Amino acid sequence: MTPVLDRIRVGSAPDSWGVWFADDPQQVPWQRFLDEVAEAGYSWIELGPYGYLPTDPARLTEEVNRRNLKVSAGTVFAGLHRGPSVWEATWEHVSQVASLTQAMGARHLVVIPSFWRDDKTAEILEPPELTAEQWGHLARGMERLGRQVKETYGLDIVVHPHADTHIDTEANVERFLDSTDSGLVNLCLDTGHYAYCGGDSVKLIETYGERIGYLHLKQVDPDILAEVVANELPFGPAVQRGVMCEPPGGVPALEPVLQAAQNLGVDLFAIVEQDMYPCDPDKPLPIAVRTRKFLRSCGA
């Protein structure tokens, strides 16, 4: 018998349509994304890169309402491990996105740490490991961001562990959680990125359940991942090789992840993201339809 996952709200995001940038000729137009995400059977979306979807709240509201869609979150990047000197520039960027996110009725802001390796060129931008001082800057900076975003925009920040960032492996994710206040900072657990970096999503949910504020559903092709690890490939080229694959063909298995999340007894968004950049414009919709059908078979 299929379990009923009545605390899980499923959605999708521009990422699943091959969208990584606000403006890029290799990406589908935003109108097509909205049309197709609705056609695939999703009712929740994320904003994606700021500037991809219209940034005028009235226009965006009209566009999503017309397709019976709702916004679950916005996304920002932040390099707060670099210390207080980056705060003003960070807050300027965050304010833009948070303002639109709030205007769309969403409650979450997904915060992705800045990359230490460029996802397009593979250039090493800074050391892959943080110093103790940088860990301190990261923890205090994220708490400050969480406090200010909550006070100014009424949003909860959820920090997204991500390949080629400093919050990636199980050890680094646990260190980050252990050094931050749960009242200010929680986690967007991306099942694909966590598996890519060697982590166990079910274990993390069961161990740090009170810190899981949001989910991204994603799977990794284990054979391609083995090649990526062996050759130390950057994330961008790994995606082009298809390391993030269509469910249920990869790892982790999503059924136990969803059940573990349901067992927390709180309402959680579970947003499908299958990293594909660049991709053929006709590729995403059939995958999205099949993925939505698969998630329904899991009870979501």
Side-chain angles (χ1 to χ4, degrees), residues 68-92:
N68 295 313
L69 296 170
K70 292 170 284 190
V71 175
S72 62
T75 302
V76 297
F77 286 84
L80 293 168
H81 65 285
R82 297 180 188 127
S85 63
V86 301
W87 174 260
E88 285 190 19
T90 300
W91 182 248
E92 185 179 354

Side-chain angles (χ1 to χ4, degrees), residues 104-225:
M104 298 310 298
R107 297 296 307 276
H108 294 90
L109 192 67
V110 177
V111 182
I112 301 177
S114 56
F115 286 44
W116 56 261
R117 176 165 56 184
D118 189 278
D119 58 339
K120 265 193 168 179
T121 68
E123 177 191 357
I124 303 294
L125 304 173
E126 55 190 305
E129 296 296 330
L130 297 178
T131 65
E133 181 183 33
Q134 288 173 319
W135 271 109
H137 287 322
L138 178 62
R140 303 294 78 76
M142 285 295 189
E143 288 178 334
R144 181 182 181 186
L145 190 68
R147 184 182 295 109
Q148 199 147 324
V149 165
K150 185 74 170 175
E151 289 175 355
T152 310
Y153 298 103
L155 306 176
D156 293 323
I157 72 164
V158 282
V159 177
H160 182 322
H162 197 292
D164 287 0
T165 77
H166 296 108
I167 307 178
D168 50 1
T169 61
E170 180 177 314
N172 283 340
V173 169
E174 291 186 354
R175 180 172 182 173
F176 177 73
L177 290 173
D178 290 344
S179 59
T180 49
D181 182 345
S182 62
L184 300 171
V185 179
N186 285 303
L187 211 65
C188 168
L189 170 58
D190 184 303
T191 60
H193 280 279
Y194 202 51
Y196 184 102
C197 298
D200 180 332
S201 288
V202 171
K203 179 185 170 189
L204 186 68
I205 293 169
E206 291 177 344
T207 308
Y208 285 90
E210 75 284 356
R211 303 300 298 276
I212 306 299
Y214 199 92
L215 293 172
H216 279 171
L217 300 181
K218 189 179 295 178
Q219 283 192 323
V220 176
D221 182 313
D223 296 331
I224 298 176
L225 180 62

Side-chain angles (χ1 to χ4, degrees), residues 244-278:
M244 299 299 182
C245 62
E246 178 182 342
V251 296
L254 293 180
E255 297 95 323
V257 172
L258 290 165
Q259 188 58 58
Q262 170 75 17
N263 291 346
L264 295 176
V266 297
D267 291 333
L268 281 175
F269 283 108
I271 304 300
V272 176
E273 280 198 329
Q274 183 181 340
D275 288 309
M276 295 189 292
Y277 175 85

